[in-house]
Amino acid sequence: MEASVIVVGLEGSPADEWLIRYAAQLAGLSDARLRGVHVRDIDNLDRPPKAQLEQDRRLLSELHGTLAEVRAGDIASGLIRAARQAGACQLVIGSRRRSRWSRLLTGSTVADQVLRAAGDLPVQVVNVGRPGQSDAI
């Protein structure tokens, strides 16, 4: 029987470390493999945060996981496609809490899009920050 896989979506930010450790705990509890996924624009115009992704790769390696970089037209569909291709039993993503006003002004978040499009793929959205709080804290 093939081992289960927990896929964690990474954005190349300082919050990735906490998210990786959280997903690694889930993987350990369910005897699953760990796979980090970072989605890049399909047109390759975005500049991936190389230093952060290298840190993510090292941490995943220490925790017996792997990192994949995929290209997609949008982050949500890229994460879901990568999770399905990996045979994921769960997709873990981070989301910053946003005020109601922020949601009204800027529309749906990647987490909202993933949840709408995931179908039967279990998705766990983990809070990685609060409104008005900077990443540096």
Side-chain angles (χ1 to χ4, degrees):
M1 186 176 100
E2 192 171 314
S4 299
V5 180
I6 290 185
V7 171
V8 57
L10 304 172
E11 64 178 28
S13 79
D16 286 359
E17 179 181 354
W18 189 89
L19 210 52
I20 290 168
R21 291 185 186 283
Y22 179 84
Q25 283 185 320
L26 289 177
L29 291 172
S30 58
D31 202 27
R33 291 182 293 130
L34 177 63
R35 182 172 185 94
V37 173
H38 179 261
V39 179
R40 293 180 59 185
D41 285 340
I42 204 159
D43 59 14
N44 203 28
L45 294 177
D46 62 335
R47 294 277 184 255
K50 286 189 173 156
Q52 183 64 52
L53 288 176
E54 203 42 54
Q55 277 183 281
D56 292 351
R57 189 181 309 279
R58 278 194 300 276
L59 179 58
L60 281 160
S61 180
E62 287 171 23
L63 298 171
H64 310 290
T66 58
L67 176 64
E69 288 187 71
V70 299
R71 287 207 169 87
D74 68 273
I75 294 170
S77 64
L79 284 173
I80 291 168
R81 187 181 71 236
R84 290 193 187 287
Q85 287 175 345
C89 61
Q90 188 171 94
L91 172 61
V92 177
I93 58 173
S95 179
R96 285 176 178 68
R97 278 203 190 123
R98 295 182 355 181
S99 71
R100 194 167 141 239
W101 284 112
S102 174
R103 279 182 184 270
L104 288 172
L105 292 171
T106 61
S108 65
T109 63
V110 170
D112 296 333
Q113 295 165 21
V114 168
L115 289 169
R116 274 196 304 272
D120 62 351
L121 175 66
V123 177
Q124 188 171 151
V125 180
V126 182
N127 178 34
V128 293
R130 295 194 301 272
Q133 184 181 40
S134 75
D135 283 342
I137 296 177

